[in-house]
Amino acid sequence: MDFSTLVLLPGMATFAISVTVRPGVSQPGAPDYAARGVFSSNPTDVQMQDGTVFSDQQTTLGIRLAEWAVPPVNGDRIKVMEGVAAGITFWVADTSSDGQGGLTLTLRKTEPPE
């Protein structure tokens, strides 16, 4: 079964938003380019050892690998072009393949560590 074509492609057509990718790490010197993915940002709470609660956001962009010649890697920049996060530039903090033709990019707004 071609999961990427049968499931991910219609999902992208329905739920994806436009983004601009600055591939500074995956393709140094290459120009920015337009792409798309399914954006999600949800609150997450972590209870610390002393009982206090640390609140954060877990922000992701789900992409269909067949639509990307070179997928983003940690440190690349993603600018959201529409929706609730329009105009915000994130950096890729982590990537995770689903084994079915998709890749989840974990995004952060803060600057990456040097």
Side-chain angles (χ1 to χ4, degrees), residues 3 7 12 14-16 27 29 41 49-51 55-57 60 68 77 81-82 86-87 101-102 106 110 112:
F3 190 84
V7 178
M12 287 292 168
T14 303
F15 300 109
Q27 302 175 70
S41 189
Q49 198 168 14
D50 65 0
S55 296
D56 198 5
Q57 286 290 118
T60 61
W68 298 68
R77 301 289 199 262
M81 303 307 289
E82 59 184 296
T106 300
T110 59

Side-chain angles (χ1 to χ4, degrees), residues 65-79:
L65 288 170
E67 298 180 1
W68 298 68
V70 178
V73 298
N74 295 8
D76 283 344
R77 301 289 199 262
I78 307 284
K79 183 175 183 179

Side-chain angles (χ1 to χ4, degrees), residues 15-40:
F15 300 109
I17 62 165
S18 300
V19 298
T20 299
V21 180
R22 175 165 289 161
V25 178
S26 61
Q27 302 175 70
D32 295 0
Y33 60 90
R36 68 180 183 166
V38 177
F39 181 83
S40 175

Side-chain angles (χ1 to χ4, degrees), residues 1-11 64 98-102:
M1 172 193 294
D2 184 358
F3 190 84
S4 176
T5 300
L6 294 174
V7 178
L8 296 180
L9 182 59
R64 181 173 173 251
D98 65 12
Q100 299 291 326

